Amino acid sequence: GFNLLLWWRQAYRRALILSKETRFDVIHCHDFDTLAIGIRLKRKLGLPLIYDAHEIYGYMVARSLPRWIANMLLWLEKRLVTKADRIINAWEAQRRYFSRVTDRPISIIMNCKPLQSMEYQPADNEGKFTVLYIGGLHKGRAVPMLVHAVRELTGVQCLIGGSGHPNYVQALKEECSRISNATFLGKVPLDEVIPMTGKYDCVFLMIDPADLNNSIALANKQFEAMVCGRPIICTKGTYSGEVTEQEEVGLVVEYTEEALKQAIIKLRDNPGLREKLGRNALEAAITKYNWQKEEVKLLELYKSLQNESQLSG
């Protein structure tokens, strides 16, 4: 907590210096840990404020902090969010939460990825069916379940990359080292994630439905899989599972190792199904889930705020 207060103070001072060098039109705060700075800058500079909530912050920290701290952060966010002029949410379930908290206008701008190709490309994995996961490594994502599930499967390998709490990452790394068809990649540079996703057969995104934040979210994995035309494996009872079923872009299974194993076998043994789901995924990216479309929404939001502040000024 003290570190956050210190950082707020330093970031606020730095932003004031930057505002003297460059004229700001809008203050755009990403996530709750920047909101207090944005509110202070709004008062000081008289500029419109966007609160861009990628997560429900209290739900997210509930994974690692005591519940009373998570509840306090939820309460504080509800107080501060009313000071924003506009709210950006990344998906519909999140918008429903914030619309109960505030009457501020809410826009949904998803963290979609730029289109890579308009043509479906098959995987290039030298014949071994490969399940890929690159992302946050924490208890909310069922990555250890994936490592255990592939252990006894022939003709299957899983590749795992990402970052997280050092103890969790170390335990996962050791687990992978004991299993011949599980490879731990460590941290993967951001610009390599999509090329790697396109190279392999299937993207893994099983989320613990009890994880309050992730179960109502759409993860980057979903959008990466779509722009690469790759099927995804998701959990029943989660928002990512709902979208996967709706768009027919992957398999949605119960949150158990056995269900995951069966999904992997099904995709391994059925190249036709992999291609069908992959083509659906690319089609979903081209028609709906791509950054080119979301970018237009963001620019229009900036423009409308600028126009409003000019009228009121």
Side-chain angles (χ1 to χ4, degrees):
F2 178 71
N3 285 347
L4 187 61
L5 291 172
L6 204 62
W7 182 73
W8 279 351
R9 204 167 146 197
Q10 289 172 336
Y12 172 72
R13 285 176 178 168
R14 183 79 190 114
L16 280 184
I17 293 165
L18 285 171
S19 74
K20 291 184 175 81
E21 295 166 6
T22 310
R23 191 177 75 87
F24 294 166
D25 296 303
V26 173
I27 300 159
H28 188 143
C29 290
H30 289 270
D31 277 332
F32 176 70
D33 46 9
T34 68
L35 183 55
I37 307 162
I39 292 167
R40 223 176 139 192
L41 285 169
K42 176 185 170 171
R43 286 191 194 123
K44 178 80 175 167
L45 302 173
L47 293 172
L49 173 64
I50 294 173
Y51 178 41
D52 194 338
H54 305 218
E55 321 278 352
I56 296 173
Y57 202 78
Y59 288 0
M60 184 181 74
V61 301
R63 288 182 204 132
S64 54
L65 295 176
R67 180 49 66 98
W68 68 269
I69 294 179
N71 287 341
M72 188 183 73
L73 289 169
L74 285 169
W75 173 82
L76 191 56
E77 183 178 52
K78 285 173 185 175
R79 293 284 303 272
L80 296 183
V81 80
T82 57
K83 314 278 192 243
D85 297 284
R86 290 282 193 285
I87 294 166
I88 293 176
N89 287 159
W91 52 81
E92 175 55 34
Q94 196 190 24
R95 187 196 67 77
R96 288 197 289 266
Y97 170 87
F98 276 99
S99 65
R100 291 194 298 270
V101 170
T102 177
D103 59 358
R104 304 279 96 181
I106 300 173
S107 303
I108 293 181
I109 299 177
M110 295 179 287
N111 194 22
C112 296
K113 306 301 163 196
L115 289 169
Q116 305 298 301
S117 168
M118 307 297 271
E119 297 292 321
Y120 172 78
Q121 307 286 334
D124 172 27
N125 62 359
E126 294 146 18
K128 198 165 202 181
F129 178 79
T130 305
V131 184
L132 181 71
Y133 177 82
I134 303 170
L137 299 173
H138 54 74
K139 283 187 286 191
R141 302 268 171 98
V143 182
M145 191 194 285
L146 171 63
V147 176
H148 293 154
V150 300
R151 217 172 9 183
E152 293 153 15
L153 296 179
T154 54
V156 172
Q157 65 175 346
C158 75
L159 302 178
I160 291 160
S163 57
H165 190 280
N167 294 351
Y168 184 89
V169 171
Q170 187 56 34
L172 191 61
K173 191 177 176 179
E174 285 168 15
E175 191 67 29
C176 288
S177 70
R178 289 192 284 270
I179 293 165
S180 62
N181 55 347
T183 304
F184 186 75
L185 304 166
K187 200 167 181 182
V188 177
L190 203 56
D191 59 354
E192 289 176 26
V193 174
I194 285 177
M196 280 184 76
T197 305
K199 190 170 160 52
Y200 299 111
D201 298 276
C202 165
V203 172
F204 174 78
L205 179 66
M206 280 186 71
I207 284 163
D208 183 348
D211 186 295
L212 288 171
N213 188 57
N214 281 4
S215 63
I216 63 163
L218 281 183
N220 281 326
K221 306 298 101 220
Q222 195 113 23
F223 302 129
E224 289 157 9
M226 283 178 178
V227 295
C228 294
R230 291 293 169 263
I232 196 163
I233 301 175
C234 293
T235 316
K236 275 190 176 145
T238 63
Y239 188 52
S240 50
E242 196 183 306
V243 170
T244 297
E245 282 182 329
Q246 189 184 308
E247 303 291 345
E248 296 178 18
V249 296
L251 300 181
V252 181
V253 298
E254 296 295 340
Y255 189 69
T256 68
E257 190 181 315
E258 187 51 37
L260 170 59
K261 203 183 283 184
Q262 292 310 315
I264 293 170
I265 290 167
K266 190 173 183 177
L267 288 171
R268 177 195 68 186
D269 296 349
N270 195 334
L273 176 65
R274 293 203 302 266
E275 181 170 337
K276 179 180 173 240
L277 295 171
R279 286 184 180 276
N280 288 352
L282 183 60
E283 184 61 25
I286 291 167
T287 56
K288 201 186 300 185
Y289 300 96
N290 65 70
W291 181 244
Q292 285 87 335
K293 283 184 182 295
E294 300 306 296
E295 186 178 48
V296 171
K297 288 195 244 174
L298 181 59
L299 292 173
E300 281 173 357
L301 177 58
Y302 285 151
K303 216 175 286 178
S304 72
L305 270 175
Q306 227 180 329
N307 291 343
E308 280 172 32
S309 68
Q310 280 166 0
L311 285 170
S312 62

